[in-house]
Amino acid sequence: EPEVTQTPSHQVTQMGQEVILRCVPISNHLYFYWYRQILGQKVEFLVSFYNNEISEKSEIFDDQFSVERPDGSNFTLKIRSTKLEDSAMYFCASSEVWVAQETQYFGPGTRLLVL
Amino acid sequence: LAKTTQPISMDSYEGQEVNITCSHNNIATNDYITWYQQFPSQGPRFIIQGYKTKVTNEVASLFIPADRKSSTLSLPRVSLSDTAVYYCLVVANYGGSQGNLIFGKGTKLSVKP
């Protein structure tokens, strides 16, 4: 069964450093998402992406965040200057179409720890 | 989107049937009810989705009464590996709707031997 993959599985960084989280969505999917989950809290939507542009973003997704699809397979989330509160599990997801009833397939996540 | 309310936690034993009820009093005509499962340190995984009456797949059943103000996820004969958090989500189905999923706190199911 096709799956979403994410790298790295764990990332430790110093406050103020830039990090790039990488995702490879399912190959025939056109819509991509990033979510995050702070330890012990609920999964929160960050951004959705289609046709090389952001479709929707939450208030969490401020100017420190950016997304990119640099080639035909990767989808990245960049945090420009990390803060302690960015420590969380970051999940990438993809779907074939962009309606909420469509199943989204989530990756295994990247655990980011900002020191 | 309609707000959902579900129990924070539930305990069960192996082999039992587990029913998790979710209330969504303000569900709109075009909304679907979707359930995701999340194991520790993993991403959420789609379980089942329905609009009304009953839906069954190889993993679970979803019961939705006529007024659609609640729904019940039924897991038959749970095993230890069903220990997870289960999320009830109401998702909109109309042209141009947002694709992002809004997760609540979910129900933490603990299955004991």
Side-chain angles (χ1 to χ4, degrees):
Chain A
E1 181 179 303
E3 58 183 20
V4 176
T5 59
Q6 292 185 242
T7 54
S9 58
H10 294 77
Q11 174 98 41
V12 180
T13 190
Q14 296 290 324
M15 189 171 57
Q17 294 296 304
E18 174 183 285
V19 294
I20 298 176
L21 310 183
R22 291 181 168 79
C23 167
V24 179
I26 294 173
S27 61
N28 64 328
H29 287 184
L30 301 177
Y31 299 86
F32 315 116
Y33 314 85
W34 283 101
Y35 294 81
R36 80 170 185 191
Q37 186 174 32
I38 295 170
L39 186 63
Q41 299 189 25
K42 58 186 180 182
V43 177
E44 301 174 291
F45 167 76
L46 291 178
V47 66
S48 57
F49 189 86
Y50 167 71
N51 199 26
N52 284 319
E53 59 183 31
I54 291 173
S55 304
E56 188 78 23
K57 61 181 181 179
S58 72
E59 58 189 26
I60 302 170
F61 194 88
D62 61 22
D63 292 344
Q64 293 299 313
F65 291 89
S66 63
V67 288
E68 192 179 30
R69 187 152 163 85
D71 53 44
S73 59
N74 289 285
F75 179 51
T76 62
L77 173 70
K78 181 192 290 186
I79 309 175
R80 261 181 275 281
S81 178
T82 50
K83 302 188 281 276
L84 296 177
E85 54 264 38
D86 293 327
S87 294
M89 195 79 159
Y90 288 80
F91 296 108
C92 173
S94 69
S95 64
E96 283 189 69
V97 294
W98 190 46
V99 290
Q101 67 171 114
E102 180 70 14
T103 300
Q104 290 186 19
Y105 294 83
F106 285 76
T110 293
R111 185 176 297 281
L112 176 66
L113 178 60
V114 182
L115 301 176
Chain B
L1 290 173
K3 181 181 175 182
T4 59
T5 303
Q6 51 184 124
I8 293 173
S9 63
M10 292 183 70
D11 291 333
S12 181
Y13 290 93
E14 280 191 296
Q16 288 188 331
E17 178 184 78
V18 171
N19 296 307
I20 306 174
T21 296
C22 176
S23 67
H24 25 78
N25 290 318
N26 297 321
I27 191 167
T29 303
N30 292 327
D31 291 343
Y32 279 67
I33 298 127
T34 303
W35 287 79
Y36 278 75
Q37 173 193 56
Q38 185 181 27
F39 297 114
S41 298
Q42 293 188 29
R45 184 176 75 106
F46 172 85
I47 303 177
I48 198 166
Q49 181 180 87
Y51 183 78
K52 61 180 179 181
T53 63
K54 177 183 174 182
V55 179
T56 297
N57 62 22
E58 64 277 6
V59 176
S61 294
L62 179 60
F63 299 91
I64 305 167
D67 66 6
R68 305 200 327 122
K69 293 183 183 298
S70 67
S71 59
T72 299
L73 175 72
S74 181
L75 305 172
R77 297 180 298 282
V78 294
S79 64
L80 296 176
S81 62
D82 292 316
T83 294
V85 179
Y86 292 82
Y87 299 97
C88 167
L89 294 85
V90 170
V91 296
N93 173 34
Y94 53 89
S97 66
Q98 298 175 8
N100 48 298
L101 300 175
I102 307 297
F103 287 85
K105 294 184 178 180
T107 297
K108 186 174 182 180
L109 173 65
S110 298
V111 180
K112 302 173 184 177

